[in-house]
Amino acid sequence: MARVLVGVKRVIDYAVKIRVKPDKKGVVTDGVKHSMNPFDEIAVEEAVRMKEKKIASEIIAVSCGPAQSQEVIRTALAMGVDKGIHVEIPAAEYETLQPIHVSKILAKIAEKEKIDLIIVGKQAIDDDSNQTAQMTAAVLDWPQATFASHIEKGDKELTVKREVDGGMETIKCKIPAVISADLRLNEPRYATLPNIMKAKKKPIAKMTPKDLGVDISPRIEIVSVEDPPVRQPGVILPDVDALVGKLKEGGHI
Ligand code: AMP
């Protein structure tokens, strides 16, 4: 049976309208609703289903971030994860935390906890990096199966269906491995109230990047964050001739 590690990131809720900070170095996070990254809910769900099918023996959820990151660990615990690890990163340093740092942290924990399978989301919807799975596999020198939409675990290997541009690709890879969860892998469950209560008793270990020997000094600098351009209002034209006229006028045809 496999020991599974899942990455859970606390991000601004997908339904919130994002506002750029006046200094253009990031987006407003204070007083804004946050949730577990949606792809991480899918990663957690997949791990919990593996446990239900007796493929997984223990599931550990890791979140790297400030104190509030514990909220998403609690959600993961309520969904069926066994224990949590909170890698504490103060807010100021968290602003410059990058996928390479998270990957090194996940890799260290995987080694310490004798993990067989790491499942992360395909991307975090705040920074849209889509790098953590790939970099974690590289740091550990493990195979990677990214954008997974179906996973079958054999004794020593995984068969994973991946969503690629042209359709579906099926690959096999050896275990240990890193997987990233795509949207159609499963539909995550809601945590029920009894499970939320039970999750309060599950353990969350705390550690720092330093404890794990990971240097989190920034590798890139954010020069500027801008709002997307405002869409111009459309016009309703009476007929096709008017449309063709407009297109010619604008030099489009
Ligand atoms: P990214 O490469 O930043 O787009 O993130 C891909 C996935 O890596 C996310 O869906 C999470 O599963 C994991 N991940 C990224 N950042 C964190 C973090 N701060 N804490 C825990 N997991 C993370």
Side-chain angles (χ1 to χ4, degrees):
M1 283 214 283
R3 291 177 58 73
V4 183
L5 186 70
V6 284
V8 289
K9 186 176 187 187
R10 179 178 176 268
V11 296
I12 294 181
D13 189 86
Y14 71 93
V16 168
K17 182 149 176 11
I18 304 293
R19 279 180 304 130
V20 172
K21 278 202 286 205
D23 70 359
K24 297 202 181 222
K25 293 282 180 199
V27 298
V28 177
T29 53
D30 285 350
V32 169
K33 183 178 178 216
H34 283 69
S35 310
M36 187 191 295
N37 182 46
F39 293 107
D40 302 356
E41 290 181 350
I42 299 172
V44 169
E45 175 67 32
E46 196 62 20
V48 173
R49 289 187 193 186
M50 283 180 183
K51 186 153 185 207
E52 287 167 348
K53 288 190 217 144
K54 310 233 178 302
I55 295 171
S57 54
E58 189 175 37
I59 314 167
I60 304 173
V62 178
S63 193
C64 314
Q68 300 94 314
S69 305
Q70 287 198 19
E71 293 161 15
V72 294
I73 298 179
R74 285 279 167 222
T75 307
L77 294 172
M79 287 172 75
V81 163
D82 300 294
K83 71 173 199 187
I85 297 179
H86 175 212
V87 180
E88 278 188 287
I89 301 176
E93 287 171 66
Y94 187 57
E95 277 187 14
T96 57
L97 192 80
Q98 287 148 21
I100 184 65
H101 306 130
V102 177
S103 296
K104 287 180 178 172
I105 290 169
L106 293 179
K108 281 279 186 221
I109 294 173
E111 281 167 354
K112 267 174 78 144
E113 295 282 347
K114 307 213 168 0
I115 293 297
D116 305 290
L117 220 50
I118 300 179
I119 314 179
V120 293
K122 76 162 176 182
Q123 77 192 53
I125 61 164
D126 50 1
D127 297 330
D128 277 343
S129 295
N130 176 4
Q131 294 172 4
T132 306
Q134 297 86 334
M135 285 184 176
T136 308
V139 172
L140 287 163
D141 199 16
W142 288 5
Q144 56 180 285
T146 50
F147 310 108
S149 57
H150 185 81
I151 304 168
E152 243 178 76
K153 190 184 163 292
D155 234 9
K156 288 203 162 59
E157 62 178 23
L158 292 174
T159 306
V160 177
K161 287 202 168 85
R162 314 179 55 234
E163 286 185 35
V164 292
D165 260 3
M168 276 298 199
E169 181 183 69
T170 305
I171 59 162
K172 278 190 182 214
C173 72
K174 292 222 166 72
I175 299 166
V178 181
I179 300 173
S180 78
D182 210 332
L183 190 64
R184 277 167 283 275
L185 181 59
N186 59 49
E187 271 189 39
R189 70 196 63 192
Y190 288 104
T192 61
L193 191 60
N195 287 343
I196 293 172
M197 300 312 285
K198 268 192 235 160
K200 294 197 173 155
K201 296 203 187 85
K202 292 186 183 176
I204 299 181
K206 271 196 201 179
M207 54 189 78
T208 63
K210 210 167 156 215
D211 294 337
L212 295 163
V214 176
D215 172 13
I216 57 163
S217 38
R219 303 285 189 94
I220 58 169
E221 181 198 345
I222 295 171
V223 179
S224 132
V225 177
E226 316 263 341
D227 276 314
V230 181
R231 235 181 116 194
Q232 298 302 318
V235 280
I236 296 172
L237 299 168
D239 52 32
V240 174
D241 286 344
L243 173 66
V244 172
K246 271 268 181 209
L247 289 173
K248 276 191 178 148
E249 219 176 81
H252 298 295
I253 52 171

